[in-house]
């Protein structure tokens, strides 16, 4: 009993614990590790964020320079933008409490902590606005487990916004009531630093919320103007205090994500309709198909939804406040369907997957209005309100039930569950009484059941990466990379023919080639696509390298899965590289064979300055690789290193042919296209495929052995089909996975290794001598033998690099649209390179000025008398 009494007087403990315990119970029931072999990693959480969390640990445990630069972001790139978007959450400190091998468990704990914090924040909001403990716990749970929070559980860095929003709103209340801007200023600053993207949405919303509270407060004109001044001043100070991070991030956005800013606004376009949005008020209104496109996830439960409706029909609330609330509600509602407003909320960029990311503010808004109405009804809703609610909810439930085919994410059972909960909610609200606290407890329990059932139904819609797949792959990769580093060192890149995540280099900590990030500079995928590698707007993956690209990008080490690797180790194959047998095998681990590339020249080497004028052609990997090598070597003509080889005419089974397009026959179980060729040499052979072969259009075998084709690319690629021995007939069989495929871009090439090796060895002989490499810089010596040479690097060009040659600053050159070259004069030179994010120091200066202004504000606060509490109460 003492515990119950204590909890009643400390409801925020329950507000935090109840949603976390509900989710913990769900994780245990679904056997999330360590209670089974499942995890909570799905989609981007498993393919992107978990690797960033590993990078976070590496940075804080000994590599602070990685806060500014990441040598393992693709070929290298600015890291501060990644930190600003993905890694600045204070909850990430939880990751430091767990060993590297338990990173997925750390993410589970961190997710529970964010649910708890969101519940505590909303609970505090309700408590500060007069809520007793049942209401505090009920609203806290409904908010923490809202439809938005559950649908975006995998986007863990966004959940902080739901935690901070109630605190920022309370800061607004304090700013208006007590003339104290500090809570608002502090929480807003923290929100901006944690995630500028979600903070932008929060700021848009909080302006509207401020207007509501200003009207509710009924201040004089003079007091209102002062409140507006404090609000604007605190907001500007929050931006200034965040400038050290925000300013360089804005610059990076201009180089990456910002380049996709929409300039053509579709003024007459609606993404969805109000009828389609109605389904989102039902439990379990989510599915995998809703991730790339769908309606806003705004489920808040029956009690809160009824309260939201009643707000506009509660006579104790002034009509001016209700008019303002109605107009802002209409603005939010239109934002959920009209493209221009949707675009505004997302920073003038249509989201790629996860639509209506701002809908957490809609959930909070509805719940804030709901509590405003329900706290005025301690003895239950009136008969007219009950009848009105009954009519509205009957219409809502009937509409969705009769149109349930229009809501594929809902089942008949989930619709009936919501109808039952709606009915119970109306009964519960009608029976509320100050004299019978048990009914308030009953309403609280109903809110918990509503939120918990929605959580189960929502999360059951998704599939997750198993703990064993993540763990066995990561540990095997760590061992393989360690073996490769033992031979090639820490300062050269390592390639691989297996891939679980395009952020594997950040997960394990080595110089790689791949990356998946929203902060991807467009130059990277453009360059990767031009040399025949997989690329998209937000990722690059070195999936189909050649001997030439291996050397030019300094892939000195290479690991590939052993044929006799234990089946218990998850090793997804992403490419075939039979040409690796021409490299030097230097080690083996349980899962991998390790090779050393004899042609790799290092991250930098002296080459002809003809490379400065070399341009690449779109989707011509063969021509581009020959051009690059010729320019670096200083040749006057481009040598024919690749030679087209004959393929037999296509033999089609189970399909029809029109020109080069093969279409499945309706009655065929399988459609295949077969080619044959015979190699006359031991040189590498590469099969060019068209960009249309992306998205698993076809699968390929060579003499019955699978030749992997990566599932996403947008340029022509070169698959390695080098035979094991010359003179043996090779049979290539394509199997169509879809209705038709165009084979017009299919070509076969052989690479003249004798000519190629001569040129690559010549470049290797001119490699720099790397004397030191730090997290964000390096020093080296290089010798130019003529005046028409440059120091060519495979390090991407970026504005933040400061380069000195023999102690003197030099202006670096961008070559091939992506990489960095340094002009040299004849002779030996000392090279120093250091990276600092552009505008970082100006941002620091602005933040220091903001701190000074803040201290002045604290020392000399503006004149003004706090508003008397009685003036803030509604006048009935």
């Amino acid at each position: 009993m003492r515990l119950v009494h204590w909890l009643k007087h400390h409801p925020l403990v329950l507000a935090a614990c109840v949603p976390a315990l509900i989710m913990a119970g769900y994780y245990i029931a679904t056997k999330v590790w360590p209670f089974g072999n499942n995890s909570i990693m799905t989609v981007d959480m498993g393919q992107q964020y978990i690797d960033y969390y590993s990078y976070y640990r590496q940075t804080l445990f000994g590599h602070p320079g990685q806060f500014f630069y990441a040598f393992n972001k693709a070929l290298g790139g600015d890291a501060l933008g990644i930190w600003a978007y993905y890694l600045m959450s204070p909850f990430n400190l939880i990751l430091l409490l767990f060993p590297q091998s338990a990173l997925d468990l750390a993410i589970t704990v961190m997710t529970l902590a964010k649910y708890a914090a969101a519940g505590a924040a909303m609970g505090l909001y309700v408590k500060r606005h007069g809520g007793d403990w049942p209401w505090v716990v009920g609203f806290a749970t409904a908010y923490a487990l809202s439809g938005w929070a559950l649908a975006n559980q995998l986007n863990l860095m966004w959940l902080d916004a739901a935690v901070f929003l109630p605190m920022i709103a309370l800061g607004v209340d304090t700013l208006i009531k007590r003339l104290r801007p500090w809570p608002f200023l502090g929480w807003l600053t923290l929100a901006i630093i944690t995630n500028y993207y979600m903070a932008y949405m929060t700021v848009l919303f909080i302006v509207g919320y401020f207007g509501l509270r200003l009207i509710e407060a009924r201040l004089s004109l003079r007091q209102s103007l002062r409140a507006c001044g404090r609000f604007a001043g605190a907001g500007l100070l929050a931006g200034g205090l965040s400038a050290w991070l925000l300013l360089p991030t804005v610059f990076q956005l201009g180089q990456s994500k910002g380049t996709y800013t929409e300039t053509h606004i579709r003024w007459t376009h609606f993404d969805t309709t109000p009828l389609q949005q109605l389904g989102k008020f039902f439990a379990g209104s989510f599915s995998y198909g809703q991730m790339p496109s769908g309606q806003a996830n705004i489920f808040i439960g029956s009690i809160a939804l009824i309260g939201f409706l009643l707000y506009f029909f509660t006579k104790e609330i002034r009509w001016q406040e209700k008019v303002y609330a109605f107009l802002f509600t209409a603005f939010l509602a239109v934002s959920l369907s009209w493209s221009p407003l949707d675009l505004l909320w997302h920073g003038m960029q249509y989201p790629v997957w996860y639509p209506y990311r701002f809908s957490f503010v809609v959930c909070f808004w509805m719940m804030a209005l709901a509590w405003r109405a329900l706290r005025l009804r301690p003895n239950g809703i009136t008969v007219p309100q009950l009848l009105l609610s009954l009519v509205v909810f009957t219409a809502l439930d009937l509409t969705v039930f009769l149109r349930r085919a229009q809501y594929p994410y809902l089942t008949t059972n989930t619709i009936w569950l919501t109808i039952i909960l709606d009915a119970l909610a109306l009964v519960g609200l009608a029976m509320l009484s100050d004299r019978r606290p048990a009914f308030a407890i009953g309403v609280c329990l109903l809110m918990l059941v509503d939120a918990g059932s929605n959580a189960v139904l929502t999360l059951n819609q998704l599939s997750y990466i198993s703990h064993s797949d993540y763990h066995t792959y990561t540990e095997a990769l760590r061992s393989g990379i360690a073996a490769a580093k033992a031979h090639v060192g820490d300062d050269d890149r390592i390639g691989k023919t297996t891939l679980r995540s395009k952020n594997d280099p950040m997960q394990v900590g080595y110089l790689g080639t791949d990356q998946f990030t929203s902060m991807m500079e467009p130059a990277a995928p453009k360059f990767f696509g031009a040399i025949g590698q997989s690329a998209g707007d937000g990722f690059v993956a070195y999936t189909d390298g050649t001997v030439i690209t291996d050397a030019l990008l300094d892939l000195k080490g290479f690991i590939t899965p052993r044929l006799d690797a234990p089946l218990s180790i998850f090793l997804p194959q992403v490419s075939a590289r039979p040409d690796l047998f021409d490299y030097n095998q230097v080690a083996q681990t349980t899962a991998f064979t390790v090779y050393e590339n004899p042609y790799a020249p290092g991250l930098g080497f002296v080459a002809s300055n003809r490379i400065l004028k070399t341009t690449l052609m779109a989707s011509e990997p063969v021509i581009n690789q020959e051009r690059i090598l010729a320019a670096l070597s200083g040749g006057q003509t481009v040598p024919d290193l690749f030679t087209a080889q004959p393929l037999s005419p296509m033999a089609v089974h189970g399909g029809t042919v029109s020109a080069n397009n093969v279409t499945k026959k309706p009655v065929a179980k399988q459609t295949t296209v077969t080619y044959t060729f015979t190699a006359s040499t031991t040189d590498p052979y590469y099969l060019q495929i068209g960009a249309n072969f992306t998205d698993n259009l076809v699968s390929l075998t060579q003499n019955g052995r699978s030749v992997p084709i990566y599932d996403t690319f947008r340029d022509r690629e070169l698959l390695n089909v080098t035979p094991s021995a010359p003179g043996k007939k090779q049979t290539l069989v394509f199997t169509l996975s879809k209705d038709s495929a165009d084979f017009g871009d299919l070509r076969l090439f052989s690479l003249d290794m004798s000519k190629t090796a001569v040129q690559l060895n010549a470049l290797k002989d001119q490699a720099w001598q790397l004397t030191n490499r730090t997290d964000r810089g390096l020093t080296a010596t290089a010798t130019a033998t003529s005046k028409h040479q440059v120091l060519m690097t495979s390090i991407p060009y970026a504005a933040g690099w400061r380069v000195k040659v023999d102690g003197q600053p030099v202006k670096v050159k961008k070559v091939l649209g992506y990489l960095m070259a340094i002009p040299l004069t004849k002779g030996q030179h000392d090279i120093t390179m250091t990276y600092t994010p552009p505008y970082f120091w100006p941002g620091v200066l602005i933040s220091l000025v903001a701190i000074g202004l803040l201290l002045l504000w604290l020392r000399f606060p503006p004149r003004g008398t706090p508003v008397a509490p009685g003036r803030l109460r509604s006048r009935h």
Side-chain angles (χ1 to χ4, degrees):
M1 294 301 294
R2 287 185 178 180
L3 177 62
V4 173
H5 180 77
W6 186 85
L7 288 174
K8 285 183 179 179
H9 287 81
H10 298 83
L12 295 184
V13 176
L14 283 174
C17 290
V18 169
L21 287 173
I22 290 173
M23 295 310 301
Y26 175 79
Y27 295 155
I28 293 171
T30 54
K31 301 186 183 304
V32 170
W33 192 77
F35 301 98
N37 191 38
N38 293 325
S39 76
I40 65 169
M41 295 186 294
T42 185
V43 196
D44 288 353
M45 174 64 80
Q47 296 295 325
Q48 186 179 19
Y49 309 147
I50 191 169
D51 304 308
Y52 288 140
Y53 294 142
S54 180
Y55 184 76
Y56 176 92
R57 294 180 81 260
Q58 295 163 27
T59 303
L60 269 62
F61 280 145
H63 295 278
Q66 290 185 158
F67 182 76
F68 299 105
Y69 192 80
F71 275 101
N72 46 12
K73 175 190 173 185
L75 301 182
D78 182 272
L80 191 141
I82 289 177
W83 279 80
Y85 185 65
Y86 296 102
L87 295 176
M88 290 301 292
S89 168
F91 290 92
N92 288 352
L93 293 171
I94 293 173
L95 299 169
L96 307 181
L97 305 177
F98 292 80
Q100 179 71 38
S101 58
L103 197 55
D104 54 340
L105 175 60
I107 288 175
T108 303
V109 173
M110 187 162 59
T111 303
L112 292 174
K114 292 193 179 188
Y115 280 126
M122 191 64 189
L124 180 62
Y125 181 88
V126 173
K127 185 174 184 292
R128 289 278 180 86
H129 287 84
D132 293 330
W133 75 266
W135 291 110
V136 168
V137 177
F139 268 78
T141 305
Y143 177 75
L145 304 185
S146 67
W148 179 87
L150 294 166
N152 289 286
Q153 173 183 276
L154 71 157
N155 294 306
L156 196 50
M157 68 279 184
W158 293 351
L159 295 189
D160 293 65
V163 175
F164 297 140
L165 181 56
M167 305 306 297
I168 295 171
L170 282 174
V172 169
D173 298 341
T174 303
L175 182 147
I176 294 174
K177 294 178 181 179
R178 303 178 186 175
L179 309 183
R180 293 176 59 243
W182 318 124
F184 171 67
L185 170 61
W187 285 108
L188 182 59
T189 301
L190 183 58
I192 294 171
I193 291 174
T194 297
N195 189 290
Y196 64 87
Y197 181 62
M198 304 305 288
Y200 163 78
M201 302 173 192
T202 300
V203 168
L204 286 183
F205 168 77
I206 214 66
V207 171
Y209 179 86
F210 173 78
L212 177 72
R213 289 307 188 202
L214 200 60
I215 292 173
E216 181 188 343
R218 303 176 67 181
L219 305 179
S220 66
L221 177 60
R222 184 177 182 181
Q223 290 171 327
S224 295
L225 291 175
R226 284 181 173 177
C228 290
R230 288 191 299 274
F231 179 76
L236 290 173
L237 266 183
L241 293 171
S242 311
W244 64 272
L245 181 65
L246 203 56
L247 201 61
T249 299
V250 169
F251 175 81
Q252 291 304 324
L253 285 171
Q255 309 300 304
S256 55
K257 188 178 176 71
T259 60
Y260 302 111
T261 297
E262 192 71 39
T263 56
H264 175 68
I265 299 177
R266 298 175 292 176
W267 293 102
T268 60
H269 182 74
F270 286 82
D271 299 318
T272 186
T273 67
L275 279 178
Q276 289 175 310
Q277 189 63 52
L278 292 180
K280 290 296 184 174
F281 292 119
F282 285 70
S285 54
F286 188 67
S287 66
Y288 183 84
Q290 289 285 296
M291 284 187 179
S293 61
Q295 290 75 49
N297 297 292
I298 54 174
F299 179 87
I300 56 173
S302 301
I303 296 291
L305 194 57
I306 293 171
F308 170 69
L309 171 67
L310 294 181
Y311 173 89
F312 298 98
F313 298 93
T314 299
K315 64 180 181 179
E316 292 85 354
I317 300 174
R318 297 169 62 229
W319 68 267
Q320 295 95 331
E321 183 186 338
K322 285 190 282 190
V323 168
Y324 180 91
F326 176 80
L327 292 175
F328 193 64
T329 299
F331 169 75
L332 293 175
V334 174
S335 298
L336 299 179
S337 59
W338 191 38
S339 283
L341 286 183
D342 182 29
L343 195 61
L344 172 67
W345 281 100
H346 292 102
M348 303 310 293
Q349 290 185 8
Y350 290 111
V352 179
W353 282 53
Y354 317 117
Y356 306 106
R357 301 171 182 183
F358 65 91
S359 52
F360 70 99
V361 304
V362 180
C363 294
F364 176 78
W365 174 256
M366 289 193 296
M367 296 189 74
L369 297 188
W371 175 239
R372 176 91 168 92
L374 291 176
R375 71 171 175 160
L376 296 172
R377 286 285 169 267
N379 289 308
I381 59 178
T382 64
V383 173
Q385 289 175 331
L386 176 62
L387 293 176
L388 173 69
S389 301
L390 184 61
V391 169
V392 172
F393 277 79
T394 299
L396 169 64
D397 294 340
L398 277 176
T399 299
V400 174
F401 183 81
L402 296 176
R403 291 170 49 89
R404 57 189 179 276
Q406 306 299 317
Y407 308 99
Y409 47 82
L410 293 177
T411 67
T412 302
N413 288 338
T414 58
I415 294 175
W416 274 113
L417 172 63
T418 301
I419 291 173
I420 292 170
L421 290 172
D422 288 345
L424 292 175
L426 288 172
V427 172
L429 290 176
M431 297 179 69
L432 281 175
S433 172
D434 272 344
R435 299 177 181 177
R436 292 175 290 183
F439 285 103
I441 297 174
V443 170
C444 170
L445 292 175
L446 181 62
M447 295 181 81
L448 303 191
V449 170
D450 208 350
S453 60
N454 177 60
V456 172
L457 293 170
T458 296
L459 297 179
N460 279 351
Q461 299 288 328
L462 305 178
S463 58
Y464 301 88
I465 297 171
S466 71
H467 166 74
S468 59
D469 280 358
Y470 164 75
H471 183 74
T472 58
Y473 174 87
T474 302
E475 294 309 309
L477 179 62
R478 197 181 313 281
S479 176
I481 293 298
K485 283 184 176 181
H487 290 274
V488 304
D490 294 324
D491 301 324
D492 293 281
R493 297 193 180 96
I494 299 172
K496 53 190 175 62
T497 63
T498 183
L499 183 148
R500 191 201 68 81
S501 159
K502 287 180 278 289
N503 291 334
D504 280 343
M506 286 188 163
Q507 172 68 242
V508 176
Y510 68 97
L511 274 63
T513 53
D514 313 328
Q515 178 74 179
F516 174 24
T517 176
S518 296
M519 303 294 290
M520 178 66 69
E521 298 84 353
K526 183 177 180 181
F527 172 77
F528 269 66
I531 62 172
Q533 305 305 315
S534 301
D537 286 344
F539 80 92
V540 293
Y542 190 81
T543 54
D544 292 296
T546 68
V547 174
I548 294 176
T549 57
D550 285 355
L552 296 180
L553 301 185
D554 188 36
L555 287 164
K556 192 172 184 179
F558 232 103
I559 62 174
T560 186
R562 294 174 54 173
L563 295 177
D564 59 349
L567 297 178
S568 59
I569 301 177
F570 180 62
L571 294 172
Q573 192 83 359
V574 73
S575 64
R577 289 295 304 270
D579 58 348
L580 292 181
F581 291 111
D582 290 330
Y583 293 179
N584 303 320
Q585 181 178 328
V586 293
Q588 281 193 330
T589 65
T590 302
F592 291 104
T593 300
V594 181
Y595 296 91
E596 184 175 4
N597 182 356
Y599 307 111
L603 295 176
F605 52 91
V606 177
S608 168
N609 62 5
R610 287 190 58 226
I611 193 65
L612 299 177
K613 298 181 179 180
T614 302
T615 58
L616 302 180
M617 300 173 63
S619 206
E620 291 290 350
V622 167
I623 295 174
N624 289 335
Q625 291 182 35
E626 289 179 335
R627 279 185 174 184
I628 294 171
L629 196 52
L632 293 171
S633 302
Q636 297 301 311
T637 60
V638 178
D640 293 326
L641 301 177
F642 289 94
T643 302
Q645 298 291 342
L647 278 171
S648 69
M650 67 167 64
V652 180
H653 297 279
T656 59
V657 183
S658 176
N660 292 304
N661 195 69
V662 177
T663 304
K664 280 186 176 182
K665 290 181 179 178
V667 296
K669 292 183 178 180
Q670 188 179 72
T671 302
T672 61
V673 178
T674 303
Y675 295 89
T676 62
F677 73 93
T678 301
S680 58
T681 70
T682 58
D683 287 342
Y685 274 67
Y686 301 99
L687 184 70
Q688 177 184 280
I689 59 174
N692 60 302
F693 277 22
T694 189
D695 296 328
N696 301 306
L697 180 72
V698 298
S699 58
L700 172 63
T701 61
Q702 179 179 358
N703 291 354
R705 174 183 57 84
S706 175
V707 179
I709 301 176
Y710 192 62
D711 57 7
T712 308
F713 53 94
R714 62 187 187 188
D715 301 274
R716 292 172 179 166
E717 297 208 350
L718 300 176
L719 305 180
N720 198 307
V721 292
T722 304
S724 57
K728 181 180 178 181
K729 181 180 178 181
Q730 304 296 307
T731 302
L732 303 174
V733 179
F734 291 91
T735 303
L736 271 66
S737 303
K738 300 181 182 179
D739 291 337
S740 64
D742 187 350
F743 287 78
D745 282 340
L746 202 71
R747 300 284 188 278
L748 181 66
F749 297 94
S750 63
L751 177 65
D752 190 326
M753 270 306 299
S754 60
K755 292 182 180 179
T756 303
V758 169
Q759 296 195 39
L760 293 179
N761 284 329
L763 294 179
K764 184 178 179 181
D765 290 340
Q766 300 181 82
W768 67 7
Q769 298 299 313
L770 189 62
T771 55
N772 184 47
R773 184 179 68 84
T774 64
D775 293 328
R776 63 184 189 98
L778 49 82
T779 57
T781 60
T783 302
T785 57
S786 74
K787 62 180 181 180
H788 300 297
Q789 290 184 313
V790 295
L791 179 64
M792 176 68 189
T793 75
S794 55
I795 299 172
Y797 175 91
W801 280 113
R802 296 295 178 263
V803 178
K804 293 182 178 180
V805 177
D806 299 327
Q808 299 300 313
V810 298
K811 186 176 181 179
V812 298
K813 304 290 186 180
K814 180 190 288 189
V815 297
L816 305 176
Y818 180 50
L819 301 177
M820 178 168 52
I822 302 168
L824 295 178
T825 58
K826 185 177 181 180
Q828 182 173 318
H829 303 282
D830 294 321
I831 314 295
T832 303
M833 301 171 60
T834 306
Y835 184 86
T836 302
Y839 296 98
F840 174 73
W841 290 115
V844 169
L845 180 60
I846 292 174
S847 292
L848 291 174
V849 171
I851 291 173
L853 294 174
L854 178 61
L855 293 175
L856 285 174
W857 196 354
L858 285 168
R859 179 65 181 84
F860 304 104
R863 291 183 178 180
T865 303
V867 183
R871 290 294 304 276
L872 294 172
R873 299 192 186 104
S874 298
R875 297 178 180 177
H876 309 318

